[in-house]
Amino acid sequence: MRRKLIAGNWKMNKDIFEAGTLIEELKTRLKDFRNEVDIVICPPFTSLVVAKSLIKGSPIKLGAQNVSPQDDGAFTGEVSVKMVKAIGCEYVILGHSERRQFFKETDELINAKLKKVLAAGLTPIVCIGETLEEREHGITDKVITTQVKGVLHELVSSEVEKLVIAYEPVWAIGTGKNATPEQANEVHRLIRKLVGQIYSWNIAEKLIIQYGGSMNAQNAGSLLSQSDIDGGLIGGASLKADAFVTIIQAGAEASK
Ligand code: PEP
């Protein structure tokens, strides 16, 4: 049985003071949490240090939203894997569609970052997903296949078994328009099949594949109870303690 992973992508929201308030609210609401799912928050870089100290003793783990593919040096404005690891991050989101769209990240670049994150012993949450235009043209499977092969290029089995994939249809991110549970599950099954073909069925069966795209307190239960949806990567709803904890509870319920 795959353990569900509920991760909050805070994007460019919450300064250190606001982050502190949200984490305290989460901790209060998670007092009776029985450890049924893994919980991660991914605040902006500037809030990671304060977040790390505040989550101590709670079930919440820490992730970064991005890293540089470089180790160190003259790369103004960039942050390395070593730096986020030193803070205590255990996860790193890579290849989010906003990074692909606004910062022109390619599968090749995401693959380079992925290798660095794995080499540092952190868990990458690698995002893939089709645009609305691609879905309407009936090429979702082709796009997903290209992205899976591109981001996993040259990775060996022992690396692939350590990563998480987030299927995030671009048309569902921040739009309030989620994929139906069946639509999402179909793509999750395709991703698992591809990983099974490239690596092995044993690895594919263990792979955590999250869904992301307007997951909220209302739709989380039906999405998370699908056979191949192993968690959620949540944007907007992770900024509100009540909504995020309701999603965590839906994950716990679906894990029974
Ligand atoms: C995301 O940012 O990964 C995301 C899924 O956002 P939202 O939940 O707001 O659609």
Side-chain angles (χ1 to χ4, degrees):
M1 176 92 174
R2 296 179 294 269
R3 194 171 153 83
K4 295 211 190 292
L5 172 64
I6 308 295
N9 173 16
W10 291 8
K11 312 194 187 192
M12 198 172 72
N13 294 294
K14 308 286 179 194
D15 61 27
I16 47 170
F17 307 106
E18 295 161 338
T21 305
L22 178 53
I23 292 168
E24 292 300 349
E25 287 171 1
L26 289 172
K27 281 178 9 188
T28 304
R29 286 166 176 78
L30 288 169
K31 265 218 262 326
D32 298 325
F33 176 69
R34 293 192 199 292
N35 200 31
E36 301 98 328
V37 300
D38 288 320
I39 306 170
V40 180
I41 54 168
C42 304
F45 289 129
T46 49
S47 292
L48 287 175
V49 173
V50 76
K52 182 61 190 175
S53 78
L54 290 174
I55 60 175
K56 199 164 174 235
S58 84
I60 307 170
K61 294 177 183 163
L62 196 62
Q65 297 175 19
N66 180 35
V67 282
S68 167
Q70 308 293 338
D71 290 329
D72 49 39
F75 301 99
T76 304
E78 290 287 89
V79 172
S80 72
V81 183
K82 186 169 164 250
M83 291 168 182
V84 298
K85 185 176 180 179
I87 292 172
C89 286
E90 294 177 63
Y91 293 81
V92 182
I93 299 173
L94 293 176
H96 190 279
S97 68
E98 287 150 16
R99 297 220 53 92
R100 291 175 185 262
Q101 186 185 347
F102 303 131
F103 303 97
K104 306 292 167 235
E105 292 203 4
T106 60
D107 287 338
E108 199 183 350
L109 177 67
I110 296 158
N111 173 256
K113 293 183 180 193
L114 185 47
K115 287 172 181 161
K116 290 284 178 198
V117 172
L118 285 167
L122 307 190
T123 303
I125 298 178
V126 193
C127 304
I128 57 175
E130 80 288 0
T131 62
L132 182 60
E133 201 185 0
E134 289 162 345
R135 179 161 279 266
E136 285 175 351
H137 278 87
I139 57 167
T140 298
D141 288 14
K142 191 168 159 248
V143 170
I144 294 296
T145 304
T146 304
Q147 290 180 342
V148 167
K149 289 186 175 162
V151 296
L152 300 185
H153 183 62
E154 288 178 341
L155 291 191
V156 296
S157 302
S158 59
E159 293 174 311
V160 174
E161 59 190 15
K162 293 189 186 116
L163 58 83
V164 171
I165 292 183
Y167 167 57
E168 299 209 305
V170 180
W171 48 272
I173 298 177
T175 57
K177 194 175 159 190
N178 64 288
T180 65
E182 295 74 24
Q183 271 175 332
N185 203 42
E186 198 181 310
V187 181
H188 282 230
R189 277 216 292 269
L190 166 69
I191 296 167
R192 206 176 298 287
K193 192 172 112 197
L194 285 167
V195 171
Q197 283 165 353
I198 306 169
Y199 296 94
S200 71
W201 187 242
N202 187 34
I203 287 178
E205 267 194 322
K206 290 189 197 140
L207 180 69
I208 303 296
I209 308 176
Q210 297 176 302
Y211 167 79
S214 298
M215 187 183 277
N216 57 36
Q218 288 70 43
N219 62 26
S222 56
L223 285 159
L224 292 169
S225 55
Q226 292 293 309
S227 63
D228 286 76
I229 300 186
D230 310 317
L233 181 56
I234 299 117
S238 72
L239 298 173
K240 297 177 202 100
D242 278 344
F244 193 55
V245 172
T246 302
I247 296 170
I248 292 167
Q249 285 160 348
E253 193 58 35
S255 304
K256 282 181 183 162

